Amino acid sequence: MLCLGALPGLADEPAVAGQDHADPPMIGKVWINNGDIFDLTDPEEDRWFYRWINRLHVRTRQGTISDQLLFQPGDRYDPRTVEESERILRDNKYLYDANIERRPGDEGTVDLVVSTRDVWSLIPELSYSRNSGRSRSRIGLEETNLAGRGQRLRILRDKGIERSEDEIHFSDRNLGRTWVSLAASYSDNSDGFSHGLAVTRPFYALDARWAAGANAQVDDRRSQLYQLGDEAAEYRRERDYAHLFRGWSRGLRGGRAKRWTVGLVYDDSRYSAAVDSTLPSLVPPDRKLVYPYIGFELVEDDFVTARNHDQIDRTEDFQMGLHLGASLGWADTAFGADRDAVLFTAGVNRGFGSMQKDALFLAASTRGRLESGTLANATLSLSGRYYRRQSPKRVLYLAASGTVGERLDLDGLTEIGGNAGLRGYPFRYQVGESRFLGTIEQRYYTDWHLWRIARIGAAVFADVGRVWGPNPLGADNRGWLADVGIGLRLALTRIAAGRVIHIDLAFPLETDPTIDDVQILIESRRSF
């Protein structure tokens, strides 16, 4: 039976040792222990303010948690599906952590205790910034666990340098207690609009046998091209996009899942000069691609957990096994496209080593089009991440990535700057077709738990990088760039699961009188 109530004697009930059965034991009961934000059994958290926060918070429903489990009472116990269920639960923004424990059941069965811990899911957005005479303000509200059902609702008013935007977004990863997801968005902008709708049943688990979905989006907005951090040109883009797909798999066999997908894409982008613009116009050519495609994916079941790598004192999931995918499509004027083209994508990544000592993650990807025997909008990217565990509280992190581009579309150029890994420089400082970025970072993790809502970390870092290739604005990108800096990290433990607040001071090493000698960056990211 599925037990949607408090688990009696949870703290005192002993764990089960392995049982000597010829076949795996059967699952008897599944207990859902949906923890609140603060644990009032902990004397450090049994205080009036934390009790008040718990009372205001709508706890995740037990049914919301049980809907995401890959097992149920009566199934044979399988450690693999238990571990994968933990990963699925931990992927939710409204849960700080999740673990599943095996306990003795009745008559040779085993019971499973699913324990989760909530975070505060109603997040206001309120910010104002001013730089070089230009201001930006954001006001909004986001609920990532509406009524405890795991649904997301976001309402936002963003008045920035490029545009003013009013947005509303709703999504549900388990629509009607199924594995079907729904996402709908509506955005009314000062320079246009954007509306989207997606209904998808993904390959939600390694052993999932089929997937299907459809999504559509219409978009009308202005876009800017940048040079040395400043807007230098502008154009208008109107886009109609639709995608329909169906996938199938034989499930997980021999530790690997192989998946095939077929689909149809309609992608019509029309470009024109922006009306009443104060910037020069640089208009890309129109592009209409209509194509069927076939795709293949292989995923190895090799995952590990760790702490104090990209988060602070939080369970992190890393895929060490091979993961590769590729797709091939054919656009044709007979289908309604404006050209004949082969469209291709491919990617592969794998982890090596141990998260307890030295771990290396390598990835490669490519994408593009082949038109009349010539590559267009094609890129080849390579990247690597290296973690060296020096102590329980220190990790040396190195990362390098490079991209080579060929005849990139004007709206698909690569860039580097404060928004793309080079923290000592303004956003979108260099623009081109190819780039390199390298980072070395000494990370420190402390035991400080500020007011029981944020764990504290710190970093000392250096970045180096540059772009190459034709610049559509005809300006000099100024070669190699480098910076050094220090940063404070606040890993939020009671709100916005997985978010890390970065407060960085970065010092550019290249002389440029147009930028400040120190860049101050405050942002929320998914990683340390």
Side-chain angles (χ1 to χ4, degrees):
M1 62 179 292
L2 183 64
C3 301
L4 301 181
L7 177 66
L10 175 62
D12 302 324
E13 194 168 351
V16 174
Q19 299 185 18
D20 185 17
H21 288 286
D23 295 319
M26 187 173 293
I27 298 173
K29 300 175 183 177
V30 177
W31 298 92
I32 306 295
N33 181 37
N34 53 330
D36 218 324
I37 299 174
F38 293 98
D39 181 7
L40 302 185
T41 65
D42 183 347
E44 293 294 322
E45 298 185 8
D46 187 16
R47 303 186 180 185
W48 72 268
F49 180 74
Y50 300 145
R51 291 194 296 269
W52 180 67
I53 292 296
N54 277 1
R55 283 196 294 269
L56 291 177
H57 169 250
V58 178
R59 195 184 305 192
T60 302
R61 297 170 181 261
Q62 293 173 326
T64 301
I65 297 169
S66 65
D67 289 344
Q68 302 176 66
L69 302 178
L70 301 178
F71 54 81
Q72 58 185 349
D75 291 347
R76 291 292 180 181
Y77 172 74
D78 183 356
R80 190 202 63 77
T81 58
V82 169
E83 292 174 1
E84 189 173 5
S85 296
E86 289 179 328
R87 292 196 299 271
I88 291 172
L89 290 173
R90 281 194 290 262
D91 192 48
N92 291 299
K93 290 184 177 181
Y94 52 86
L95 296 178
Y96 184 75
D97 205 352
N99 65 82
I100 302 173
E101 187 177 358
R102 171 178 164 172
R103 293 180 176 273
D106 299 328
E107 299 179 356
T109 64
V110 297
D111 292 347
L112 296 179
V113 180
V114 182
S115 298
T116 63
R117 209 203 76 194
D118 277 7
V119 295
W120 182 263
S121 56
L122 182 61
I123 310 298
E125 293 188 55
L126 181 62
S127 66
Y128 177 84
S129 61
R130 186 172 180 84
N131 187 4
S132 301
R134 297 172 297 181
S135 62
R136 180 180 184 180
S137 62
R138 291 167 64 91
I139 182 170
L141 197 64
E142 180 180 26
E143 171 60 71
T144 59
N145 193 13
L146 188 64
R149 299 181 182 275
Q151 300 163 339
R152 179 185 177 217
L153 177 64
R154 186 188 194 205
I155 303 172
L156 176 68
R157 168 70 173 174
D158 188 345
K159 186 175 182 180
I161 298 170
E162 299 178 2
R163 66 177 59 88
S164 296
E165 180 177 2
D166 295 313
E167 175 190 346
I168 182 168
H169 173 91
F170 175 82
S171 62
D172 187 347
R173 292 178 60 177
N174 297 95
L175 185 65
R177 306 193 69 173
T178 70
W179 290 105
V180 175
S181 66
L182 168 71
S185 62
Y186 175 89
S187 177
D188 185 14
N189 311 324
S190 59
D191 58 355
F193 62 88
S194 179
H195 312 323
L197 178 65
V199 180
T200 305
R201 186 188 190 271
F203 286 113
Y204 59 87
L206 290 171
D207 200 41
R209 304 305 174 95
W210 65 276
N215 64 81
Q217 184 175 20
V218 292
D219 188 77
D220 182 356
R221 67 174 59 204
R222 295 184 181 187
S223 293
Q224 286 76 30
L225 296 171
Y226 285 76
Q227 177 61 31
L228 301 178
D230 295 320
E231 303 101 322
E234 188 173 28
Y235 60 87
R236 178 188 179 191
R237 186 190 74 171
E238 300 172 87
R239 186 188 189 201
D240 299 326
Y241 177 86
H243 178 204
L244 180 69
F245 75 93
R246 177 68 161 86
W248 66 94
S249 170
R250 297 176 67 188
L252 187 66
R253 299 195 172 197
R256 292 183 172 187
K258 298 178 182 179
R259 300 162 176 170
W260 291 92
T261 301
V262 294
L264 180 64
V265 174
Y266 177 92
D267 189 356
D268 184 12
S269 294
R270 304 171 300 281
Y271 302 89
S272 60
V275 179
D276 299 327
S277 175
T278 59
L279 297 172
S281 291
L282 191 59
V283 181
D286 291 348
R287 184 175 63 249
K288 186 177 182 181
L289 302 171
V290 183
Y291 59 95
Y293 73 89
I294 184 170
F296 173 76
E297 182 184 24
L298 183 147
V299 186
E300 282 189 343
D301 181 21
D302 186 0
F303 295 82
V304 298
T305 59
R307 286 178 178 262
N308 286 347
H309 283 78
D310 292 331
Q311 301 284 321
I312 306 177
D313 196 34
R314 183 171 184 256
T315 304
E316 305 173 60
D317 295 295
F318 291 90
Q319 183 178 9
M320 306 299 292
L322 180 68
H323 185 186
L324 64 85
S327 69
L328 191 65
W330 172 252
D332 198 299
T333 54
F335 305 148
D338 64 0
R339 70 196 74 187
D340 295 341
V342 176
L343 296 97
F344 61 89
T345 66
V348 59
N349 58 72
R350 196 182 190 284
F352 302 87
S354 167
M355 301 305 298
Q356 306 307 315
K357 189 176 180 181
D358 296 275
L360 175 65
F361 295 87
L362 298 177
S365 64
T366 185
R367 64 171 177 83
R369 303 190 301 269
L370 188 63
E371 301 174 355
S372 302
T374 304
L375 287 174
N377 198 42
T379 60
L380 173 64
S381 300
L382 303 173
S383 66
R385 295 178 293 131
Y386 171 75
Y387 302 83
R388 178 168 180 80
R389 167 68 68 189
Q390 300 162 311
S391 75
K393 301 300 180 183
R394 290 189 300 121
V395 165
L396 179 66
Y397 172 78
L398 289 83
S401 62
T403 298
V404 178
E406 178 70 22
R407 295 180 61 216
L408 297 185
D409 295 335
L410 194 59
D411 56 346
L413 297 172
T414 188
E415 60 188 31
I416 200 170
N419 62 319
L422 206 61
R423 287 166 276 194
Y425 296 84
F427 286 10
R428 298 169 174 170
Y429 190 70
Q430 288 185 344
V431 178
E433 285 199 334
S434 303
R435 80 165 195 170
F436 172 83
L437 175 67
T439 293
I440 181 170
E441 189 169 88
Q442 179 64 64
R443 298 177 172 181
Y444 301 91
Y445 312 84
T446 76
D447 291 324
W448 298 344
H449 198 178
L450 185 65
W451 300 315
R452 312 292 289 187
I453 61 173
R455 293 199 175 273
I456 310 299
V460 179
F461 60 83
D463 307 313
V464 61
R466 67 162 296 179
V467 301
W468 292 270
N471 188 314
L473 300 172
D476 180 14
N477 271 319
R478 302 189 179 181
W480 286 94
L481 303 173
D483 64 62
V484 296
I486 57 174
L488 181 68
R489 303 290 182 262
L490 304 176
L492 304 178
T493 60
R494 309 296 173 172
I495 58 175
R499 305 304 296 185
V500 180
I501 304 298
H502 287 226
I503 305 175
D504 288 329
L505 298 179
F507 305 89
L509 300 183
E510 301 302 316
T511 303
D512 183 346
T514 66
I515 65 174
D516 297 332
D517 293 334
V518 57
Q519 300 287 323
I520 302 175
L521 295 89
I522 302 176
E523 58 183 340
S524 174
R525 299 177 60 182
R526 293 288 295 175
S527 175
F528 198 99

